[in-house]
């Protein structure tokens, strides 16, 4: 059993703690919700519990069934999970199957347009700069990652998409887009970290196209908690 020691980081949705094992951290999911880089703030009741379970369920499947290495070690409680210690690569890796959000806005592609091929974007993870969109040359020039890291991350991100797109289709959900973060372990291996949840993915009901994710909070669409509960229901039948 790993003991929770001092907090080393608090993000917008999670806290991270050291443990008595130098190679393991504990993440603790909060109900706090922010959007537009913290400009909009609120609470989504029960979100932390749902995001913890959803993330762990998906990471375990990705690891076992798709061969994607992840930071997941063990769920400790409703909100807490033991994970491998990593240094986060400061890139937000966004995969899109259907145009929505910032892609639709920036490129004038109507929301809901199915993209002929999945696309990948990098943003530089930097709150002061509002996580600007960058390309791989920027990432290399700024020393955010090596060419090898970027190639590994790209391969793994598309692998995650192939697996999750099919998986979600099976439970009546279109995986529109999502954001991943990767980390480096002490021995330099790139693994999937952070979370995969309704906070970080766009999920649309396959039949009604109803939004079942954080866009309900971002866009004031109402029934935010209901959408998170619906994802739990589709995954676990609860
Ligand atoms: P975007 O359309 O706003 O760029 O978002 C693309 C995807 O990334 C969407 O599923 C939401 C997710 N996302 C995050 O997880 N964190 C963020 O800070 C942003 C901007 C988007």
């Amino acid at each position: 059993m790993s003991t929770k020691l001092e907090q080393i980081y608090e993000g917008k949705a999670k806290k991270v703690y050291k443990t008595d094992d130098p190679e393991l951290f504990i993440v603790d999911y909060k109900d706090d919700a922010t959007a537009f880089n913290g400009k909009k703030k609120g609470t989504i009741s029960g979100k932390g519990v749902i995001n913890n379970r959803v993330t762990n369920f998906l990471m375990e499947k990705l690891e076992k069934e798709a061969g994607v290495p992840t930071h997941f070690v063990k769920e400790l409680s409703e909100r807490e999970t033991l994970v491998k210690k990593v240094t986060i690569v400061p890139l937000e890796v966004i995969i899109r199957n259907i145009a929505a959000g910032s892609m639709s806005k920036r490129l004038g592609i109507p929301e809901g347009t199915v993209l002929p091929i999945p696309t990948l974007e990098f943003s530089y993870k930097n709150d002061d700069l509002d996580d600007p969109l960058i390309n791989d040359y920027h990432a290399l020039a700024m020393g955010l990652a090596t060419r090898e890291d970027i190639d590994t991350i790209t391969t793994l991100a598309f692998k995650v998409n192939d697996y999750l797109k099919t998986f979600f289709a099976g439970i009546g959900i279109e995986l529109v887009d999502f954001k991943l973060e990767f980390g480096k372990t002490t021995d330099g291996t790139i693994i999937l970290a952070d979370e995969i949840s309704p906070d970080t993915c766009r999920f649309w009901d396959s039949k009604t196209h109803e939004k079942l994710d954080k866009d309900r909070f971002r866009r004031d669409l109402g029934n935010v908690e209901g959408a998170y509960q619906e994802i739990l229901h589709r995954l676990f039948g609860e």
Side-chain angles (χ1 to χ4, degrees):
M1 200 35 223
S2 302
T3 311
K4 201 171 179 181
L5 299 178
E6 81 258 31
Q7 182 181 309
I8 50 160
Y9 174 78
E10 177 161 9
K12 298 191 196 87
K14 297 185 287 297
K15 294 176 187 173
V16 182
Y17 296 84
K18 277 190 179 175
T19 70
D20 49 4
D21 183 332
E23 292 306 319
L24 298 175
F25 285 164
I26 290 173
V27 294
D28 188 340
Y29 286 74
K30 307 189 284 184
D31 285 351
D32 298 354
T34 63
F36 315 116
N37 195 19
K39 288 181 207 54
K40 177 173 178 151
K41 287 191 175 71
T43 302
I44 302 174
S45 172
K47 171 173 89 85
V49 173
I50 293 176
N51 286 359
N52 186 36
R53 280 190 77 187
V54 170
T55 297
N56 293 343
F57 177 79
L58 295 175
M59 285 211 183
E60 222 176 346
K61 281 183 100 60
L62 283 165
E63 184 110 36
K64 286 190 182 143
E65 296 173 27
V68 174
T70 77
H71 74 167
F72 175 73
V73 178
K74 189 171 182 259
E75 192 165 295
L76 299 177
S77 73
E78 275 196 324
R79 290 176 186 271
E80 295 167 310
T81 293
L82 192 65
V83 298
K84 290 177 193 154
K85 174 189 161 185
V86 291
T87 305
I88 293 288
V89 178
L91 295 173
E92 300 208 336
V93 183
I94 295 157
I95 297 270
R96 301 178 189 269
N97 298 304
I98 298 174
S102 68
M103 182 192 218
S104 291
K105 206 168 170 186
R106 196 175 56 248
L107 302 178
I109 307 171
E111 277 212 333
T113 307
V114 176
L115 301 169
I117 56 160
T119 68
L120 179 144
E121 288 168 10
F122 295 118
S123 291
Y124 172 32
K125 209 173 135 58
N126 183 318
D127 282 342
D128 293 341
L129 299 173
D130 273 346
D131 299 341
L133 182 72
I134 58 168
N135 67 25
D136 49 351
Y137 289 93
H138 294 109
L140 289 171
M142 294 171 72
L144 307 180
T146 65
R147 168 49 62 193
E148 204 188 350
D149 294 340
I150 292 171
D151 290 346
T152 304
I153 286 171
T154 302
T155 303
L156 290 175
F158 281 120
K159 220 178 195 183
V160 169
N161 187 47
D162 285 344
Y163 181 83
L164 290 186
K165 205 166 49 171
T166 308
F167 172 75
F168 277 102
I171 54 171
I173 290 170
E174 285 179 324
L175 181 61
V176 175
D177 57 33
F178 56 93
K179 185 263 302 180
L180 301 175
E181 292 183 27
F182 291 85
K184 251 188 186 180
T185 59
T186 311
D187 71 5
T189 311
I190 296 270
I191 63 176
L192 182 62
D194 194 50
E195 65 181 277
I196 310 175
S197 73
D199 268 19
T200 61
C201 303
R202 284 194 174 94
F203 297 128
W204 292 356
D205 182 273
S206 306
K207 287 207 186 95
T208 64
H209 300 288
E210 186 190 356
K211 293 178 178 27
L212 299 171
D213 57 64
K214 195 176 160 189
D215 266 351
R216 301 203 74 83
F217 170 78
R218 295 188 189 98
R219 302 179 186 191
D220 295 320
L221 299 175
N223 197 24
V224 183
E225 277 88 0
Y228 281 71
Q229 290 287 348
E230 180 61 22
I231 294 299
L232 201 65
H233 176 68
R234 300 273 178 113
L235 290 176
F236 301 103
E238 287 166 17

